[in-house]
Amino acid sequence: MDKLVIRGGERLIGDAEVSGSKNSSLPIFAASLLTEGENRLHNVPKLRDILTIGKVLKNLGVKIREEDGVYCIDATDVTNEEAPYDLVKTMRASILVLGPLVARMRKARVSLPGGCAIGARPINLHLLGLEAMGAKIDLRRGYVEAKADRLKGATISFDTVTVTGTENLMMAATLAKGKTILQNAAMEPEVVDLANFLNKMGARIEGAGTGVIQIEGVESLQPTEHTIIPDRIEAGTLMVAAGVTRGNIRLLHCPVHHMEAVIHKLREAGMEIDPEGNEVTVVGNRRIRSVDVKTQPYPGFPTDMQAQFMTLMSLSRGLSIITETIFENRFIHVNELQRMGADIRIQGNTAIIQGVESLSGAQVMATDLRASASLVLAGLAADGITEISRVYHLDRGYEGLDKKLAKLGANIKRVKEGE
Ligand code: EPZ
């Protein structure tokens, strides 16, 4: 396994490219199951999670090849409808094949994802929605077994805003008979990107990006070509990197219009963020102001930026309060940040951060994707050396983050554990 070794203190200067969105690529890969023929996808990020969804699709008989960075996905011959435990356990977003399989193949057997480090993360709302559309759902031996004649349109109201729940049911509804209305739907940009992809395939979706999405089912869909939107969470992570190193960077292909809440909070914390088209100049200042944050579904402050923002606040000039409202256990990074000298106290789903002058390098361990990003950011700012083990968590969701940071001047190396 790899680890990252960072010597903190370097200011980040220069340009960095924002890669394609992981959380847009995953549902769009799954959506390719809805049609025969070859879908061509551009700007797909090179991530472990993309390899995993590729394995899940290949296991279903889907043909996938990459040509000069373009992913060609052909689901003409789906030979089986099972997503096995050994794949789903490595990436819960594999559940996104459930909706498309039931819609196109009329059946599916998908391993229950189980919990993960940040929470129980049930999929009850995905299943309730499919049942409302006429699917028969059984839970047997750790698997979801779904069967349906043709799905029928239904009005589905989500108790909780769920991103992949909205995506799964939106995909299923494209081939259902009649109209489906999703109420209290997720409004994330990745949901909109999926809807745009599906509409290019011939689906009839309206309202994506609002809380009410209407889908008029069609008989069949056609393959299409699509460019994945940039990753707003990677972009936000790179902005915080400039903040904690008092750097001055320019982000290329930055989805500014998807980042209002994050940019607002970073400006409140004293950073200068100047968009020019889809480039953004980001300047971190000596004085980081303490800011309170509460995570919310989009367009609120994203939970996927909570850990990174906490690192910035651990170096601010006062007291800040971060409240995590989406997941019940998304403060795993706190213990490791405390080992680097951060002054953070947890009360339930609230973290109280007393900023400190500086953090000190230490040996730490990554536990989940965004927690590992927050430790990298802390290492960039800390005095001395930080070693971050289990970097495979980072590689799930960031395309060569260490290389991008090194190009900006960070003293960061990837080495084999034990070296
Ligand atoms: C998506 O996960 C993202 N993953 C997550 O990003 C992100 O943190 C999350 O949305 C919230 O924005 C992908 O898009 C692949 P949810 P998802 O369903 O869809 C509860 C990352 O770092 N819930 O929106 O699994 C759930 O427990 C990852 O890139 C139910 O109760 O999250 C949670 O409390 C981490 N029942 C809340 O809803 C359900 O059936 C939001 O979860 C579904 C969800």
Side-chain angles (χ1 to χ4, degrees):
M1 279 198 278
D2 292 353
K3 67 181 176 183
L4 293 180
V5 180
I6 305 172
R7 175 180 291 281
E10 303 294 337
R11 283 187 70 218
L12 299 190
I13 309 280
D15 290 355
E17 298 240 350
V18 179
S19 300
S21 163
K22 167 178 86 79
N23 290 349
S24 181
S25 301
L26 296 173
I28 286 176
F29 266 59
S32 301
L33 281 164
L34 289 164
T35 181
E36 298 186 359
E38 184 174 87
N39 287 290
R40 293 169 60 81
L41 303 179
H42 302 257
N43 200 35
V44 176
K46 287 182 178 40
L47 305 171
R48 281 168 59 98
D49 275 10
I50 299 297
L51 296 176
T52 303
I53 192 78
K55 285 179 194 159
V56 171
L57 292 176
K58 284 175 188 161
N59 185 62
L60 299 170
V62 176
K63 293 185 179 54
I64 301 181
R65 71 180 197 286
E66 189 210 330
E67 258 172 25
D68 309 327
V70 180
Y71 277 79
C72 305
I73 306 176
D74 187 331
T76 302
D77 303 314
V78 174
T79 52
N80 93 76
E81 300 82 23
E82 178 162 322
Y85 173 69
D86 64 333
L87 286 177
V88 176
K89 76 170 188 278
T90 63
M91 185 187 67
R92 9 170 344 89
S94 312
I95 196 65
L96 283 163
V97 302
L98 178 64
L101 280 174
V102 178
R104 171 145 176 240
M105 308 307 292
R106 308 279 200 266
K107 64 178 178 174
R109 185 168 188 269
V110 178
S111 169
L112 278 164
C116 83
I118 62 177
R121 301 184 73 184
I123 57 162
N124 58 311
L125 302 178
H126 301 232
L127 305 182
L128 285 171
L130 285 172
E131 282 179 329
M133 296 171 77
K136 185 176 176 310
I137 305 277
D138 291 303
L139 300 184
R140 255 192 225 114
R141 301 163 58 82
Y143 277 76
V144 175
E145 297 183 353
K147 282 193 179 58
D149 297 328
R150 185 174 180 189
L151 291 173
K152 59 185 189 315
T155 295
I156 296 159
S157 185
F158 290 106
D159 299 352
T160 311
V161 173
T162 162
V163 175
T164 49
T166 299
E167 292 166 343
N168 234 337
L169 297 176
M170 184 164 73
M171 289 189 281
T174 57
L175 294 176
K177 184 171 178 50
K179 173 184 262 191
T180 296
I181 301 175
L182 302 180
Q183 294 174 334
N184 197 24
M187 300 190 269
E188 269 70 3
E190 294 77 28
V191 173
V192 177
D193 202 28
L194 172 63
N196 292 339
F197 175 69
L198 292 168
N199 280 341
K200 280 200 273 187
M201 292 169 90
R204 294 170 56 192
I205 300 171
E206 288 177 8
T210 75
V212 180
I213 302 177
Q214 305 202 35
I215 306 106
E216 193 65 57
V218 295
E219 292 305 310
S220 66
L221 296 171
Q222 307 308 319
T224 187
E225 189 141 13
H226 186 75
T227 299
I228 301 287
I229 56 172
D231 194 309
R232 61 192 169 99
I233 305 300
E234 183 201 21
T237 305
L238 290 168
M239 287 183 178
V240 173
V244 296
T245 62
R246 279 91 171 161
N248 184 331
I249 67 174
R250 190 171 57 151
L251 294 182
L252 312 177
H253 311 306
C254 183
V256 179
H257 47 300
H258 294 158
M259 301 177 68
E260 297 294 334
V262 170
I263 290 173
H264 171 71
K265 284 296 174 182
L266 291 175
R267 283 179 175 148
E268 221 184 304
M271 292 183 64
E272 290 163 39
I273 299 175
D274 301 311
E276 297 134 35
N278 71 353
E279 295 179 0
V280 187
T281 301
V282 182
V283 181
N285 285 320
R286 182 151 296 288
R287 181 184 163 76
I288 299 170
R289 283 200 291 267
S290 306
V291 171
D292 295 346
V293 155
K294 187 173 184 179
T295 64
Q296 301 281 0
Y298 193 88
F301 190 93
T303 174
D304 291 349
M305 278 297 302
Q306 179 258 105
Q308 300 91 309
F309 196 79
M310 189 180 291
T311 297
L312 184 68
M313 289 299 102
S314 67
L315 290 163
S316 68
R317 297 289 178 96
L319 191 99
S320 50
I321 295 176
I322 294 181
T323 309
E324 171 57 61
T325 70
I326 307 294
F327 292 109
E328 65 270 27
N329 187 33
R330 204 170 196 176
F331 286 147
I332 309 162
H333 44 286
V334 170
N335 292 336
E336 297 300 273
L337 288 175
Q338 286 167 331
R339 294 184 57 243
M340 296 178 72
D343 179 353
I344 306 170
R345 278 168 296 148
I346 304 292
Q347 281 172 6
N349 68 343
T350 299
I352 300 148
I353 302 108
Q354 178 64 49
V356 293
E357 259 313 292
S358 64
L359 297 171
S360 52
Q363 287 176 304
V364 291
M365 187 168 72
T367 49
D368 76 86
L369 170 55
R370 307 304 174 182
S372 43
S374 75
L375 297 178
V376 171
L377 296 170
L380 293 175
D383 299 334
I385 304 277
T386 299
E387 291 192 2
I388 303 169
S389 57
R390 301 191 177 183
V391 167
Y392 58 86
H393 287 292
L394 196 73
D395 296 337
R396 290 193 49 181
Y398 288 96
E399 182 176 6
L401 183 62
D402 47 322
K403 292 197 183 72
K404 291 186 182 182
L405 293 171
K407 188 166 163 278
L408 289 169
N411 184 331
I412 181 169
K413 292 185 190 59
R414 179 184 287 257
V415 299
K416 291 285 169 231
E417 290 276 10
E419 264 186 32

